[in-house]
């Protein structure tokens, strides 16, 4: 019988409130309705030539109206997406400002694109007019822009920084926020991830030959690659008890290859085991896993191997990438919001796994994949994020 891992004695951290925007909609209500809706045939990705002139690609585009950015030097589409996700949280943020003070609230945002799409437009303008537009400034595409903008917009004076570790950025922003709270550096943190589609990311991933011209098909024998998406997921984290706790997290790096994961998923496995150890949980405590699940050949294979070694075949699991596309630096935060919503449901309904149901015999058995509903409430969920350079992050969220 395996020994129960010892739990690190750190103050508990809670995910008190969330905001979201992605291809599923803007705001918690619309996203929840579409995420858990009964219409399994609905497709939220749109075929587009806008960012890939040589072929149509399905993209997880936002078609909601975006909120305005009042700071001219920070006015980018990326920050407008982030603003739209944050606006529903403003009353709570204002209350925390009064209660804790401006110096006790931190901002941590994950991004990989920042305002690059605006930079692309600026370069196009420059080619045509031989000068940059008066509305363009390089700071708009700095990685620091989203966190800097939020702090300036809200008048906050606590720690402010961005995390850019490719597709783990949103998840790692949440782990950074948890550490700030556990160390007593601040009393509340606004944290999450945001990325918007641009030519650089679509053409960059296409050059690696890992994008698919059809809707992605995670863990299927017929998977052909990933779809790119965009969006933002944000939380307010505090030490004050709430409905969902960030119970544990693990972070590792394979250093195996610049873009490919370790083929056996050793770093991914260590990240999940670290999260379990920090949470003081056994694998059987986890009811559901939100896969990173990009539908690329190597990512799905290594993740299936790592999950099977820890949790066996029957763990309920799914990838939501066919609904949103891979939102890159925002993925870890957006999918944490999906878990956060699932943990507050009373019917045990889980985020769906849209695929063709064709099992890949090269993958270890995962009989719990595409489980639609648990027999009882979801109590504990794990969310995985994996990135270039073998960068791995795993979060465990629990119902309180």
């Amino acid at each position: 019988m395996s020994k129960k891992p010892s739990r690190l004695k750190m103050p508990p951290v809670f995910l008190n409130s969330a905001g979201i925007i992605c291809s599923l909609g803007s705001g918690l209500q619309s996203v929840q309705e579409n995420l858990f809706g009964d219409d399994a045939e609905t497709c939220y990705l749109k075929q587009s030539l806008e960012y890939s002139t040589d072929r149509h690609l399905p993209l997880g585009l936002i078609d909601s109206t975006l909120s305005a950015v009042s700071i001219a030097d920070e006015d980018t589409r990326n920050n407008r997406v982030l603003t739209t996700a944050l606006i529903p949280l403003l009353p709570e943020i204002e209350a925390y400002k009064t209660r804790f003070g401006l110096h006790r609230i931190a901002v941590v945002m994950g991004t990989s694109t920042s305002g690059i799409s605006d930079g692309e437009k600026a370069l196009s303008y420059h080619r045509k007019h031989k000068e940059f537009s008066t509305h363009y400034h390089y700071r708009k595409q700095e990685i620091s822009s989203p966190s800097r903008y939020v702090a300036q917009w809200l008048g906050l004076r606590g720690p402010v920084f961005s995390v850019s570790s490719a597709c783990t950025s949103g998840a790692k922003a949440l782990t950074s926020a948890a550490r700030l709270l556990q160390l007593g550096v601040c009393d509340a943190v606004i944290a999450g991830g945001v990325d918007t589609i641009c030519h650089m990311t679509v053409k960059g991933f296409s050059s690696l030959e890992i994008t698919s011209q059809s809707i992605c098909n995670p863990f299927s024998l017929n998977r052909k690659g990933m779809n790119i998406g965009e969006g933002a997921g944000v939380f307010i984290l505090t030490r004050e008890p709430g409905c969902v706790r960030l119970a544990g997290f693990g972070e590792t790096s394979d250093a195996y290859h610049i873009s490919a994961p370790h083929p056996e998923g050793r770093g991914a496995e260590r990240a999940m085991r670290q999260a379990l150890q920090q949470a003081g949980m056994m694998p059987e405590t986890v009811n559901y896993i939100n896969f990173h699940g990009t539908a690329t050949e190597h990512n799905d294979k290594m993740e299936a191997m790592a999950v099977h070694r820890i949790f066996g075949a029957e763990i309920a699991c799914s990838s939501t990438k066919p609904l949103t596309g891979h939102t890159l630096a925002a993925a870890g935060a957006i999918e944490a919001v999906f878990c956060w919503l699932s943990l507050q449901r009373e019917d045990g309904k889980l985020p769906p796994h849209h695929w063709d149901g064709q099992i890949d015999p090269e993958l270890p058995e995962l009989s719990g994949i595409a489980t639609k509903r648990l027999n009882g409430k979801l109590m504990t969920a794990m969310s995985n994020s994996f990135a270039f350079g073998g960068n791995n992050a795993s979060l465990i969220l629990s119902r309180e």
Side-chain angles (χ1 to χ4, degrees), residues 271-288:
M272 287 185 274
R273 292 194 185 278
Q274 281 184 17
L276 287 167
Q277 181 178 24
Q278 188 182 82
M281 294 179 179
M282 298 295 289
E284 54 266 30
T285 307
V286 177
N287 310 127
Y288 163 73

Side-chain angles (χ1 to χ4, degrees), residues 295-333:
T296 58
E297 179 182 355
H298 297 299
N299 181 90
D300 284 10
K301 186 174 184 178
M302 75 86 182
E303 187 170 14
M305 295 170 67
V307 166
H308 189 272
R309 286 195 295 268
I310 301 172
F311 298 97
E314 297 181 3
I315 180 75
C317 47
S318 67
S319 168
T320 49
K321 296 293 195 295
L323 299 174
T324 63
H326 187 353
T327 57
L328 307 180

Side-chain angles (χ1 to χ4, degrees), residues 11-34:
V13 171
F14 296 87
L15 301 163
N16 298 100
S17 301
I20 189 171
I21 182 172
C22 61
S23 60
L24 287 173
S26 179
L28 292 176
Q29 182 174 347
S30 63
V31 168
Q32 183 162 222
E33 288 174 356
N34 292 327

Side-chain angles (χ1 to χ4, degrees), residues 15 18-20 110-112 163 165-175 191-195 230-235 246 290-294 320-321 324-340 381-387 392-397:
L15 301 163
I20 189 171
T111 192
S112 64
V163 177
S165 53
C167 304
T168 58
S169 302
K172 290 174 76 67
L174 298 179
T175 67
V194 56
D195 256 359
E230 61 183 355
V234 289
F235 288 96
L246 181 54
N290 183 280
F291 282 137
H292 187 56
T294 59
T320 49
K321 296 293 195 295
T324 63
H326 187 353
T327 57
L328 307 180
I334 286 174
E335 290 160 22
V337 175
F338 292 166
C339 291
W340 186 84
M382 174 177 281
S383 181
N384 287 334
S385 299
F386 308 125
N392 311 294
S394 186
L395 309 176
I396 295 178
L397 283 66

Side-chain angles (χ1 to χ4, degrees), residues 1-309:
M1 186 174 182
S2 58
K3 183 179 179 182
K4 184 177 180 179
S6 58
R7 181 176 175 181
L8 300 178
K9 300 298 183 182
M10 298 293 284
V13 171
F14 296 87
L15 301 163
N16 298 100
S17 301
I20 189 171
I21 182 172
C22 61
S23 60
L24 287 173
S26 179
L28 292 176
Q29 182 174 347
S30 63
V31 168
Q32 183 162 222
E33 288 174 356
N34 292 327
L35 181 64
F36 299 107
D38 295 325
D39 188 358
E41 301 304 316
T42 301
C43 178
Y44 297 96
L45 306 190
K46 308 297 183 184
Q47 293 282 348
S48 175
L49 271 172
E50 183 178 356
Y51 298 93
S52 51
T53 55
D54 57 334
R55 58 178 185 155
H56 283 87
L57 291 176
L59 300 175
L61 295 166
I62 294 170
D63 59 11
S64 310
T65 300
L66 301 179
S67 301
V69 169
S70 58
I71 304 171
D73 285 350
E74 304 288 7
D75 186 10
T76 63
R77 186 167 188 275
N78 207 60
N79 283 342
R80 290 194 290 274
V81 167
L82 179 56
T83 302
T84 307
L86 271 171
I87 278 179
L89 305 181
L90 291 185
E92 188 170 350
I93 293 171
E94 289 300 318
Y96 282 131
K97 286 164 65 174
T98 300
R99 184 174 176 187
F100 296 136
L102 303 180
H103 289 81
R104 297 293 296 175
I105 303 175
V107 179
V108 186
M109 290 295 159
T111 192
S112 64
T113 64
S114 191
I116 288 175
S117 63
D118 292 79
E120 291 172 345
K121 292 176 181 177
L123 289 173
S124 178
Y125 183 96
H126 189 277
R127 282 196 298 269
K128 183 177 181 179
H129 300 282
K130 309 304 179 185
E131 63 180 0
F132 286 109
S133 165
T134 55
H135 300 293
Y136 173 72
H137 193 288
Y138 179 79
R139 70 163 55 207
K140 291 186 175 185
Q141 64 190 63
E142 291 176 340
I143 292 297
S144 58
S145 176
S147 53
R148 182 180 64 212
Y149 158 64
V150 170
Q152 187 177 352
W153 170 38
L154 300 177
L156 303 176
R157 298 292 182 266
V160 178
F161 59 91
S162 292
V163 177
S164 189
S165 53
C167 304
T168 58
S169 302
K172 290 174 76 67
L174 298 179
T175 67
S176 296
R179 291 189 180 96
L180 290 173
L181 291 166
Q182 290 171 336
L183 292 171
V185 174
C186 52
D187 296 310
V189 187
I190 302 166
V194 56
D195 256 359
T196 41
I197 289 178
C198 59
H199 291 276
M200 187 192 76
T201 50
V202 175
K203 292 177 180 177
F205 280 96
S206 295
S207 72
L208 296 173
E209 300 182 342
I210 56 174
T211 54
S212 173
Q213 289 184 256
S214 55
I215 303 300
C216 65
N217 201 359
F219 297 92
S220 167
L221 171 65
N222 302 311
R223 65 189 186 277
K224 297 179 181 178
M226 63 188 288
N227 308 135
I228 305 295
E230 61 183 355
V234 289
F235 288 96
I236 301 175
L237 296 86
T238 73
R239 293 182 296 270
E240 297 184 329
C243 56
V244 176
R245 181 165 60 91
L246 181 54
F249 49 86
E251 299 171 89
T252 63
S253 182
D254 298 345
Y256 170 78
H257 186 274
I258 192 171
S259 61
H262 190 284
E264 296 180 355
R266 295 300 180 186
E269 179 181 357
R270 288 197 301 273
M272 287 185 274
R273 292 194 185 278
Q274 281 184 17
L276 287 167
Q277 181 178 24
Q278 188 182 82
M281 294 179 179
M282 298 295 289
E284 54 266 30
T285 307
V286 177
N287 310 127
Y288 163 73
I289 298 175
N290 183 280
F291 282 137
H292 187 56
T294 59
T296 58
E297 179 182 355
H298 297 299
N299 181 90
D300 284 10
K301 186 174 184 178
M302 75 86 182
E303 187 170 14
M305 295 170 67
V307 166
H308 189 272
R309 286 195 295 268

